[in-house]
Amino acid sequence: MYIWIFLRLIGALALLMFGMKSMSDSLQKMAGPQLRSVLGTMTTNRLTGILSGALITAAVQSSTATTVMTVSFVNAGLLTLAQAISVIMGANIGTTLTAWIMSAGFSFNITDFVWPAFFIAIILIYSKKRKLFGDFLFGIAFMFLGLGTLRQAGVELDLAHNQPVLDFFSSFDPNSFLTTLTFLVIGSILTMCVQSSAAVMAITMILCSTGVLPIYQGIALVMGENIGTTVTSNIAALTANPQARRAALAHMFFNVFGVLWILCVFRPFVDIVCSFVGYDAEMPKTDPSFVANASKLSFVLAAFHTGFNIVNTAILVWFVPQIERLVCAVIKPKKNVDEDDFRLMFIQTGIMKTPELSILEAQKEIHAFAERIQRMFGMVKDLLVETDQSKFVKLYSRIEKYENISDNMEVEIAKYLDNVSNSHLSDESKAKIRAMLREISELESIGDSCYNIARTINRRISGKEDFTEQQYEHLHQMMELVDLSLSQMNNMLVGHKSENDATRSFNIENEINNFRNQLRTQNINDVNNHVYTYTIGTMYIDIIQECEKLGDFVVNVVEARMGIRQRDI
């Protein structure tokens, strides 16, 4: 019998975790851009940063999602690390809403209300326009079904009359500071193991509401959950960039500091929370009102969780600059990092994200890719006029390295987008991914063109002939046009699609085409008139033709960015 109840218990925990994830994911898909807009505008000072972090986390029920979104903004330069720390503080307050939802679920049998919710949700899911709302409703229903099943399983376990369990918890001295520390460590370890503070909070509520676990030990478990969830995020951030690790460390510092000061005033603080809720911690089990009193325990845990984070934020909000300096001193960027080394700057494989956030990071990575490609073209321009042999060889080797980097970046970003596309995506997100795959393919082609031009220049160096002064002048003019088109492309990749105008890029492309046609005709005449040899004329026109191809690839990137089909112009 106990095995069956235990299986129901862990199954209910799985339902709870799945429901919360489904609800969070669907909300972020429905309101992702709006949430990012709020986060970007409501961080003018510490107070608004805390408020925005709390509101967004309360809305999506995921402090991890808010933290990752915040780190993305820091990487993009839209938020400073200090602003990000205030948002993370707010996220800690917002996530306490979960505990209140769970305490409500433990107070009465909520499972009766979930069945109509399931029926409505399945109807909405088959409606294309309301599919995401149906997913959201399914998430809520699963969450409350999990809570209701947990509550029922807790009643059936009848832990209050299970002597071995009672003996285990009674072996700890409730007045001992060591007992508080022991349960704090247990809460941290449990949270790290199950990767969900909500699941551990549910277990704590079951143990407390059945009268097995005293309130002081239960609150010690809750304190441990606060530390355990930050350890998990720090482990996840190990493979991320320095800013992500700093944000994760600031989160850990915030919670560890809070636990340290709360330990100094543990009993008085808990007693204040108990009196606020109306719970009598000293009431004996023989008292006729004991059951009614015990039913308030879940609310005590939720009230403590909220009060702890609010007071902790009120203390630390004045020390945000000091926290920023501390985490920057602990986590320093790698020294002597070669900008020519291949590395992804924004895509973070170590932190769990929703598709909406993953697409945002991929967009920034593509812009970094485009900027790297423009630097590569700048090297090609320098290579054309380089006369020192050793410098020429060094620059040519660097261009070769960049060509390999562009190949690797295309593959890595494409793999990342492929993983994202395996998630449940909206039609808009699918279209974005298709456009981004086209963008990286065209950017890699630009890299190939740059390398082809460099190879032609190298072939010219190997021969005994040189371009004429007029040829050099024309090559510089063509390359300036191409560089201008690359700059315009990068501007398009930064701005919002609705704010961009592709006309400028198309005009530059027409200039490149017309100039190519003009130079091609002139080249034929010059070769026929023996102004220069056929060999040097071939290399000259190869560079011109490659520049024109490069301009075509640039326009293809712009079309992908603007959502214009190829050859629509």
Side-chain angles (χ1 to χ4, degrees):
M1 177 183 174
Y2 280 112
I3 294 176
W4 173 243
I5 295 174
F6 176 75
L7 290 174
R8 284 181 62 192
L9 194 67
I10 59 175
L13 281 173
L15 265 181
L16 172 67
M17 293 164 66
F18 175 76
M20 291 190 67
K21 186 178 185 306
S22 298
M23 182 179 71
S24 175
D25 287 354
S26 57
L27 266 172
Q28 289 174 67
K29 288 171 189 173
M30 284 191 289
Q34 289 83 356
L35 292 177
R36 292 203 305 271
S37 176
V38 169
L39 195 57
T41 56
M42 283 187 61
T43 51
T44 53
N45 56 55
R46 297 175 203 175
L47 182 61
T48 55
I50 291 169
L51 183 62
S52 61
L55 290 175
I56 291 173
T57 307
V60 301
Q61 285 297 288
S62 174
S63 58
T64 301
T66 306
T67 302
V68 173
M69 199 187 304
T70 304
V71 171
S72 298
F73 271 69
V74 174
N75 287 337
L78 300 175
L79 291 180
T80 64
L81 183 59
Q83 289 173 320
I85 291 170
S86 65
V87 172
I88 291 169
M89 287 180 176
N92 263 29
I93 295 174
T95 196
T96 62
L97 179 64
T98 306
W100 287 102
I101 293 172
M102 293 171 70
S103 62
F106 275 92
S107 301
F108 58 92
N109 187 10
I110 204 166
T111 53
D112 293 339
F113 299 95
V114 303
W115 308 117
F118 277 127
F119 178 72
I120 296 170
I122 197 67
I123 294 174
L124 293 174
I125 280 177
Y126 283 100
S127 169
K128 191 173 182 180
K129 290 184 179 179
R130 298 177 178 84
K131 185 177 185 301
L132 287 175
F133 187 73
D135 289 338
F136 169 69
L137 199 57
F138 249 123
I140 290 180
F142 273 123
M143 182 179 70
F144 282 121
L145 180 61
L147 284 172
T149 309
L150 275 174
R151 176 178 176 272
Q152 188 60 35
V155 171
E156 291 178 10
L157 277 172
D158 195 20
L159 294 176
H161 298 93
N162 190 311
Q163 199 57 43
V165 175
L166 292 172
D167 291 342
F168 171 76
F169 285 110
S170 62
S171 64
F172 295 95
D173 182 3
N175 298 314
S176 171
F177 183 71
L178 182 61
T179 298
T180 302
L181 288 179
T182 302
F183 278 86
L184 190 150
V185 172
I186 291 171
S188 299
I189 294 172
L190 278 174
T191 305
M192 285 187 284
C193 290
V194 301
Q195 298 281 297
S196 172
S197 57
V200 180
M201 176 66 82
I203 294 169
T204 306
M205 285 184 175
I206 288 175
L207 293 172
C208 287
S209 60
T210 53
V212 172
L213 185 66
I215 187 61
Y216 297 104
Q217 281 87 320
I219 285 179
L221 281 177
V222 173
M223 289 161 56
E225 293 158 20
N226 277 273
I227 295 177
T229 192
T230 63
V231 172
T232 302
S233 63
N234 272 270
I235 293 171
L238 285 176
T239 58
N241 55 46
Q243 291 290 59
R245 299 203 307 275
R246 286 170 180 167
L249 182 61
H251 192 198
M252 173 179 272
F253 174 82
F254 177 85
N255 282 10
V256 170
F257 176 84
V259 168
L260 290 176
W261 72 257
I262 205 74
L263 285 173
C264 299
V265 293
F266 184 64
R267 288 273 173 162
F269 192 89
V270 175
D271 290 341
I272 290 171
V273 172
C274 289
S275 62
F276 175 77
V277 177
Y279 172 76
D280 185 359
E282 305 298 328
M283 181 180 290
K285 294 183 180 180
T286 54
D287 193 296
S289 304
F290 178 78
V291 174
N293 189 51
S295 65
K296 300 176 183 176
L297 273 166
S298 59
F299 288 102
V300 174
L301 293 172
F304 171 83
H305 198 204
T306 303
F308 163 74
N309 282 291
I310 289 175
V311 175
N312 199 29
T313 299
I315 294 171
L316 287 179
V317 69
W318 309 104
F319 301 97
V320 169
Q322 289 77 11
I323 297 172
E324 181 185 20
R325 286 198 292 270
L326 174 66
V327 297
C328 288
V330 173
I331 300 175
K332 297 178 181 177
K334 293 180 181 178
K335 295 181 179 179
N336 302 321
V337 176
D338 188 354
E339 69 170 7
D340 292 351
D341 288 341
F342 167 65
R343 68 189 190 283
L344 297 178
M345 298 171 62
F346 299 103
I347 289 175
Q348 304 159 15
T349 57
I351 297 183
M352 295 295 291
K353 294 177 286 294
T354 59
E356 180 67 37
L357 295 171
S358 300
I359 290 172
L360 173 68
E361 295 194 341
Q363 285 174 340
K364 294 202 293 287
E365 198 66 68
I366 289 170
H367 180 234
F369 186 9
E371 288 181 328
R372 190 186 288 267
I373 288 294
Q374 187 167 10
R375 284 201 302 274
M376 183 182 181
F377 185 74
M379 294 175 210
V380 173
K381 288 169 62 181
D382 294 338
L383 191 73
L384 179 65
V385 296
E386 185 58 67
T387 55
D388 185 280
Q389 182 62 27
S390 61
K391 289 182 179 178
F392 183 93
V393 171
K394 185 177 180 181
L395 190 55
Y396 183 74
S397 299
R398 195 179 176 201
I399 292 170
E400 280 187 312
K401 186 175 183 180
Y402 262 60
E403 203 278 330
N404 290 328
I405 289 172
S406 71
D407 291 343
N408 290 331
M409 288 195 76
E410 181 197 16
V411 171
E412 291 302 319
I413 298 173
K415 281 182 182 177
Y416 183 77
L417 290 172
D418 185 54
N419 289 333
V420 175
S421 66
N422 291 331
S423 307
H424 180 61
L425 298 171
S426 63
D427 291 339
E428 183 184 358
S429 295
K430 289 176 183 176
K432 284 180 182 178
I433 289 179
R434 285 194 298 271
M436 286 190 283
L437 286 170
R438 181 182 167 196
E439 286 169 20
I440 60 174
S441 175
E442 300 296 343
L443 287 170
E444 193 276 332
S445 296
I446 295 174
D448 289 342
S449 288
C450 290
Y451 183 52
N452 289 338
I453 296 171
R455 287 171 61 191
T456 303
I457 296 171
N458 186 50
R459 196 166 74 247
R460 199 276 304 164
I461 291 291
S462 302
K464 297 179 181 179
E465 297 180 89
D466 196 2
F467 296 130
T468 65
E469 187 175 331
Q470 187 181 44
Q471 282 178 317
Y472 271 117
E473 184 181 344
H474 290 156
L475 287 170
H476 288 315
Q477 289 174 358
M478 176 61 85
M479 287 186 173
E480 285 301 321
L481 280 174
V482 172
D483 197 40
L484 184 62
S485 71
L486 286 167
S487 297
Q488 184 66 19
M489 176 191 76
N490 273 302
N491 292 336
M492 299 282 284
L493 289 173
V494 174
H496 194 273
K497 186 168 69 174
S498 61
E499 300 169 354
N500 289 330
D501 184 6
T503 306
R504 176 65 174 148
S505 294
F506 298 150
N507 290 340
I508 297 171
E509 163 65 3
N510 287 332
E511 287 185 56
I512 292 173
N513 289 342
N514 293 335
F515 195 40
R516 185 275 315 268
N517 294 337
Q518 175 189 332
L519 295 179
R520 188 165 54 188
T521 302
Q522 184 178 347
N523 179 65
I524 294 171
N525 294 332
D526 288 343
V527 171
N528 290 335
N529 294 329
H530 304 291
V531 176
Y532 42 77
T533 65
Y534 178 80
T535 304
I536 202 72
T538 301
M539 288 187 280
Y540 166 70
I541 206 64
D542 281 349
I543 295 175
I544 297 296
Q545 295 274 35
E546 202 64 56
C547 284
E548 192 276 331
K549 281 174 60 180
L550 197 156
D552 288 340
F553 297 138
V554 168
V555 167
N556 290 342
V557 173
V558 172
E559 287 179 345
R561 173 65 176 152
M562 296 298 292
I564 303 171
R565 290 183 181 179
Q566 213 159 3
R567 305 189 187 281
D568 272 4
I569 58 170

